[in-house]
Amino acid sequence: MKTQLVRIAHARGGDKGDTADLSLFAYDAETYAVLKQAVTAARVAAHFQGIASGSAERYEMDNLLALKFVLHQALDGGAARSLRSDGLGKSLAAGLLRMEIEVPDDLPIRHAEIL
Amino acid sequence: MKTVRIGAGLGFYGDAWAPIAASIERGGVQYIASDHLAELTLAILQKDRAREPHAGYAKDALPMLAQLWPLAARHGVKFILNAGGLNPRGARDALAELFRKKGWSARIAVVTGDDVLDRLDDWNAAGEGLAHRESGASLASVRERMVFANAYLGAAPIVRALEQGADIVLTGRVADAALFLAPLVHEFGWTLDAQTPEQWNRLAQGLTVGHLLECSGQGSGGNFGGLDWIDIPDLGHIGYPIAEVIETGDAIITKAPDTGGRISFDTVRQQLLYEVHDPRNYISPDVVLDMGSLQLDDLGSDRVRVTGALGKPRPRQLKIVGGYQDGWMGQATIGYSWPQAYAKAERTAQIVQQQMREQRMAFDDLRIEYLGYDSILGPLADPAQRDNLNARQARGRWFGPPVSMAGIVRATVRRRPFRHAAGDRIARHLAHAGCARTGRRWRAGRRDGGVK
């Protein structure tokens, strides 16, 4: 089945200059394995097309059940010169949680009822 | 076993200081470390300093200490703040004046040396080849327009201030986490010139503690990103994070009893990775942190144990954050009601651009955003919701008083190089376009870009 990441994960975004970093957290090891397989750096780069124009890297943090994405040329030049309402890119984490991925039918869905 | 307790102060310029009182009264802290600076904050402080040479520091430190110092003094709590910003001595003078007026006494130390604007050319002449960390652009491309350059210092000068008996340490640009690492180094007698894995690892633990506390309330649930945020209790009385650290560097992150917010595996791991790029090489001036084997144990009752940080030798060089004048920004925000709210907002954007063309208002960048539709999500916005701008949804259908379906268009332009008259003219035009319709709001001002 398909699900939006917001139902199975949480995320936070930060900025350094023109670089956005997004952390994606699974609630359990089973979901983490699914995220690791489905949410690749290439997939994230494609997801943010039109927002981030540079490359994307991914770091796997098994001890935290977390994936870290670093997006380059992602913040319209950086907070001090960006024309965007969200110059710091804080809401890009929410943007990541909008991504839809294919998951096993029996995966525990933390927020099945909400939204 | 000796335990050092450090409480988080502010997490950003303008943050609330009321929660710090709970950490002092009920949290048993010995130190409050307060982070007032972000990259953007330095640009803001530079504009203050350009208008008024005595300014350029984070002014919120004054009312904050005016309110908290009597309580802190009663409990023997020391303050370490980077509120000095671009002018630590100016901050010290203002704080000393405040204490004189109040009849209070305290030993105030100032950390300087981060301001390196006057040394850049010498370093480049000596072959350093300073360049932008992201774009690789040479310093020469912006050197003439540069207005500040500050190195991120480490914990050493703060440690020295504490050794000299300072009650309040005011710094300029130091690495955020160094504000927290310094009292640990001071209290436990750790060496900053680490040579062994044990020495690097405990610095890495100290850096981790600092990183977990530097955003203050953002790390105790305030900025938790996920659907659980709404369930975090009593954020109106949020408790700022407190670290209890022992000599090995092992730590527990917690907060004062009877405060809101949440310290849990989820909130702590979100803060842990916040604004970290490669988590196995988190570079600070004092140590390079590897988070790969870090362990977070949620002990319940808002207590999370942090162990297992690995440290590696500190880098040879420091990072510099710099700012240069980069033109003007003007912005207008205009609102429209139902019916056809989006269509009207879109038409307005066209009209404004047409008028700017006809009046030969040159600009470098222009951005049109529709608030409630694509201002946050950009291309990720759902076009199916375009005609439901700012409306509320319940029970599967859109409803609400018709005026709540408003199209709000925001136009922002940038003009460079820095030319006051040209930027001001564009800003005023946008403002008039906005005011003519609803008188919403406008702003115009010089923006300072950053290199680092």
Side-chain angles (χ1 to χ4, degrees):
Chain A
M1 63 173 178
K2 265 194 176 341
T3 189
Q4 212 172 20
L5 291 181
V6 70
R7 296 181 184 281
I8 56 172
H10 54 88
R12 186 162 169 209
D15 76 294
K16 290 280 175 220
D18 198 17
T19 306
D21 68 281
L22 304 173
S23 317
L24 182 68
F25 301 87
Y27 290 101
D28 52 73
E30 195 181 346
T31 305
Y32 177 62
V34 171
L35 295 182
K36 220 165 144 176
Q37 205 258 321
V39 190
T40 60
R43 179 89 200 270
V44 169
H47 183 69
F48 285 104
Q49 208 170 17
I51 294 178
S53 56
S55 59
E57 291 128 31
R58 185 179 91 165
Y59 300 94
E60 299 160 11
M61 297 302 282
D62 296 358
N63 54 331
L64 303 169
L65 303 181
L67 297 174
K68 160 67 70 178
F69 300 92
V70 178
L71 307 178
H72 300 277
Q73 291 157 274
L75 296 171
D76 193 26
R81 74 198 304 273
S82 170
L83 302 186
R84 296 178 186 170
S85 286
D86 181 20
L88 294 165
K90 297 282 187 195
S91 54
L92 294 183
L96 178 61
L97 291 177
R98 288 170 68 82
M99 182 188 285
E100 273 197 334
I101 63 166
E102 190 69 40
V103 300
D105 288 347
D106 56 353
L107 189 78
I109 303 292
R110 168 88 164 217
H111 296 292
E113 301 303 318
I114 308 176
L115 294 180
Chain B
M1 194 181 325
K2 179 171 174 174
T3 301
V4 175
R5 295 173 66 91
I6 305 173
L10 305 194
F12 57 90
Y13 189 17
D15 202 357
W17 55 78
I20 299 170
S23 297
I24 297 174
E25 283 174 327
R26 309 197 293 277
V29 299
Q30 296 141 272
Y31 294 89
I32 293 291
S34 192
D35 175 20
H36 303 241
L37 303 180
E39 286 175 357
L40 184 61
T41 315
L42 293 187
I44 293 164
L45 296 179
Q46 167 58 30
K47 288 195 278 191
D48 286 355
R49 187 171 65 168
R51 278 191 295 268
E52 166 58 67
H54 299 296
Y57 54 87
K59 286 179 253 179
D60 52 357
L62 296 174
M64 168 181 156
L65 285 168
Q67 187 177 334
L68 294 174
W69 185 251
L71 182 67
R74 268 205 308 285
H75 287 79
V77 173
K78 300 185 173 205
F79 270 77
I80 302 164
L81 320 90
N82 60 11
L86 295 173
N87 187 3
R89 288 192 178 91
R92 186 263 323 270
D93 293 346
L95 190 60
E97 178 61 22
L98 170 74
F99 273 54
R100 255 195 304 276
K101 275 186 187 157
K102 297 274 190 185
W104 301 339
S105 73
R107 290 168 71 95
I108 303 171
V110 183
V111 171
T112 58
D114 58 308
D115 180 352
V116 296
L117 186 59
D118 292 340
R119 302 165 72 179
L120 298 177
D121 298 324
D122 287 346
W123 286 336
N124 257 357
E128 277 296 340
L130 295 174
H132 194 284
R133 272 183 65 83
E134 291 176 332
S135 68
S138 72
L139 178 67
S141 62
V142 295
R143 181 66 188 90
E144 301 238 304
R145 292 184 282 145
M146 280 195 84
V147 285
F148 68 86
N150 295 69
Y152 286 84
L153 304 182
I158 305 172
V159 174
R160 209 168 313 142
L162 293 172
E163 283 168 0
Q164 290 169 17
D167 301 310
I168 297 170
V169 184
L170 274 170
T171 78
R173 186 61 280 184
V174 303
D176 299 345
L179 301 168
F180 300 81
L181 176 61
L184 297 174
V185 170
H186 171 64
E187 289 281 344
F188 293 126
W190 294 347
T191 177
L192 283 167
D193 295 314
Q195 304 292 335
T196 68
E198 187 197 350
Q199 291 171 339
W200 284 314
N201 291 349
R202 63 192 188 193
L203 290 180
Q205 276 287 135
L207 176 66
T208 303
V209 164
H211 181 61
L212 288 174
L213 265 60
E214 70 185 42
C215 292
S216 195
Q218 312 311 326
S220 52
N223 199 18
F224 184 78
L227 279 171
D228 305 290
W229 181 81
I230 213 93
D231 299 320
I232 292 177
D234 200 14
L235 283 172
H237 302 102
I238 191 168
Y240 286 170
I242 293 170
E244 302 172 353
V245 190
I246 60 173
E247 194 161 1
T248 58
D250 289 358
I252 286 176
I253 306 298
T254 185
K255 63 187 181 70
D258 305 320
T259 55
R262 180 178 289 159
I263 300 288
S264 68
F265 176 60
D266 278 334
T267 61
V268 171
R269 63 182 172 147
Q270 274 212 356
Q271 178 61 34
L272 182 67
L273 289 186
Y274 175 67
E275 290 189 345
V276 169
H277 290 173
D278 178 355
R280 287 183 184 79
N281 290 289
Y282 185 52
I283 301 167
S284 86
D286 297 304
V287 65
V288 174
L289 164 63
D290 177 353
M291 300 179 179
S293 54
L294 231 155
Q295 199 177 329
L296 303 178
D297 299 307
D298 194 330
L299 309 176
S301 308
D302 293 303
R303 293 174 72 78
V304 173
R305 187 193 291 125
V306 183
T307 54
L310 291 180
K312 295 184 274 193
R314 62 190 174 195
R316 196 181 62 84
Q317 293 174 309
L318 299 178
K319 185 168 91 169
I320 294 169
V321 56
Y324 55 92
Q325 289 183 338
D326 197 32
W328 269 77
M329 192 180 91
Q331 184 178 78
T333 307
I334 315 163
Y336 295 90
S337 71
W338 170 95
Q340 296 176 305
Y342 179 83
K344 287 189 284 196
E346 192 176 39
R347 177 65 55 85
T348 303
Q350 291 164 0
I351 293 168
V352 167
Q353 290 174 82
Q354 176 198 356
Q355 290 174 334
M356 288 176 68
R357 262 195 317 276
E358 289 172 357
Q359 296 179 39
R360 297 180 198 285
M361 292 181 172
F363 55 85
D364 294 292
D365 293 305
L366 170 81
R367 181 175 175 84
I368 304 288
E369 295 179 333
Y370 299 92
L371 305 193
Y373 170 52
D374 70 353
S375 58
I376 295 297
L377 293 168
L380 295 178
D382 180 1
Q385 300 303 333
R386 213 178 61 180
D387 294 322
N388 295 315
L389 294 172
N390 302 296
R392 290 180 295 140
Q393 190 184 32
R395 293 185 294 278
R397 60 184 280 270
W398 295 94
F399 83 110
V403 290
S404 78
M405 295 194 207
I408 304 171
V409 62
R410 169 174 290 173
T412 313
V413 295
R414 187 150 52 88
R415 172 81 168 123
R416 47 194 283 267
F418 178 69
R419 262 188 230 141
H420 184 111
D424 198 42
R425 190 159 154 252
I426 293 172
R428 279 174 202 283
H429 177 72
L430 287 172
H432 290 155
C435 294
R437 192 75 193 198
T438 62
R440 282 277 170 159
R441 74 186 188 92
W442 68 286
R443 60 181 171 147
R446 197 179 72 212
R447 305 292 306 262
D448 299 301
V451 292
K452 53 172 192 161

